[in-house]
Amino acid sequence: MRALVVVAVLVLVLVLIGWLRFSSPAGDPTIQVDTDKVRQDTSTVVEKSKEAVDQAAQSIDRAAGKVDASIDRKPIE
C-alpha cells in the first residue's frame, strides 16, 4: 500500500513540474514524457549544485586558513 502511495505521489509531482503529460487524442490514451524539459531542468540543477559545492569548499578553505593562522607554532619548552 505504501509503495502505491509513493508511486502516485511521484507521478503527481512529475505532472506538476511538467515532465509527464497524460492525453487522449481521438480516444487513444497516451502518456508523454517531455525529455527536453527534463534535460533542461536536470542541467540547471547540476549547475546550481556545482556552484553550491564550490562555495562550500571556499568557505571550508577560509575557515581552515583561519584555524591554521591561529595555531601557535612555537615549540613548548
Side-chain angles (χ1 to χ4, degrees):
M1 182 65 182
R2 289 183 197 165
L4 183 60
V5 171
V6 169
V7 169
V9 168
L10 181 63
V11 169
L12 180 64
V13 168
L14 291 175
V15 168
L16 289 175
I17 61 174
W19 289 6
L20 191 63
R21 281 181 278 174
F22 297 102
S23 63
S24 58
D28 186 24
T30 60
I31 299 173
Q32 298 173 334
V33 177
D34 190 351
T35 55
D36 291 332
K37 183 156 176 55
V38 172
R39 189 175 296 116
Q40 180 183 14
D41 291 349
T42 53
S43 58
T44 301
V45 168
V46 167
E47 288 301 318
K48 288 185 179 184
S49 299
K50 285 180 183 178
E51 290 172 9
V53 168
D54 288 342
Q55 289 176 354
Q58 289 173 359
S59 296
I60 290 170
D61 287 343
R62 282 193 302 268
K66 289 178 183 178
V67 168
D68 191 41
S70 69
I71 295 175
D72 186 15
R73 304 258 184 227
K74 295 178 187 174
I76 300 176
E77 294 179 6

